Amino acid sequence: MRFLLCFFLMAMMMGEKPQKIEDLRWKNRIVLYFPGKSGTFPKLSHELEEGVRERKIVYFVFDEILNSNSQVDFSNAYISEIRKKFGASCEEACWVLIGLDGGVKLRKEGELDWGYIFKTIDSMPMRRSEIGSKT
């Protein structure tokens, strides 16, 4: 009986959507994009989608509404907190790369540069380890 109860509780917890960025720590790298007044988030090509997936990137676009490639359950208050913490100083578009450990790895103004993001991630020790374990 205890086994069934434990199994049921674990299954419920695994189905929960992340409520904070911290819930993604050690599972995903994160890109936060704040498009500003003139910024846009272009539709990802199949090649870019594959690169995002391969590098375990979850991205969030903080436009009028929050857009993401992941299902999350962020409250409006938390979204405002993230905007203030990471995007408040942006007059125009800017983005932030957060590593698997939850630390900010890059913060840049301007449109998203997926090539630069991929190159940066690929130079990180944990990513090198991931690549090495695939071969």
Side-chain angles (χ1 to χ4, degrees):
M1 183 67 159
R2 285 186 190 171
F3 175 77
L4 288 176
L5 180 60
C6 287
F7 179 79
F8 179 73
L9 289 173
M10 285 178 56
M12 282 181 53
M13 289 186 341
M14 291 172 77
E16 288 183 17
K17 294 177 187 173
Q19 296 181 345
K20 296 188 175 199
I21 288 174
E22 293 80 13
D23 296 340
L24 300 169
R25 186 178 291 160
W26 300 115
K27 298 174 204 155
N28 298 98
R29 295 170 180 94
I30 299 166
V31 172
L32 307 175
Y33 178 59
F34 303 92
K37 296 173 187 148
S38 60
T40 60
F41 186 79
K43 182 169 171 44
L44 297 182
S45 68
H46 176 71
E47 182 179 306
L48 280 177
E49 281 182 13
E50 186 60 36
V52 165
R53 193 172 19 262
E54 179 182 320
R55 290 168 181 85
K56 302 179 194 171
I57 298 172
V58 172
Y59 61 78
F60 298 96
V61 181
F62 291 84
D63 209 347
E64 291 178 17
I65 60 170
L66 180 67
N67 291 300
S68 179
N69 63 333
S70 179
Q71 300 252 339
V72 294
D73 193 17
F74 291 176
S75 70
N76 289 336
Y78 184 68
I79 292 170
S80 292
E81 184 181 319
I82 293 299
R83 284 181 194 270
K84 286 177 191 167
K85 183 175 181 180
F86 295 104
S89 64
C90 300
E91 291 188 28
E92 295 298 322
C94 68
W95 52 271
V96 177
L97 171 63
I98 299 173
L100 288 173
D101 63 357
V104 173
K105 305 303 178 191
L106 282 175
R107 185 180 186 336
K108 296 282 184 184
E109 293 200 17
E111 295 297 316
L112 272 172
D113 184 344
W114 286 110
Y116 188 61
I117 291 169
F118 291 171
K119 182 177 155 184
T120 301
I121 290 170
D122 290 348
S123 70
M124 294 177 179
M126 291 187 77
R127 174 67 179 151
R128 286 184 177 161
S129 174
E130 291 170 0
I131 294 169
S133 67
K134 287 183 182 180
T135 58

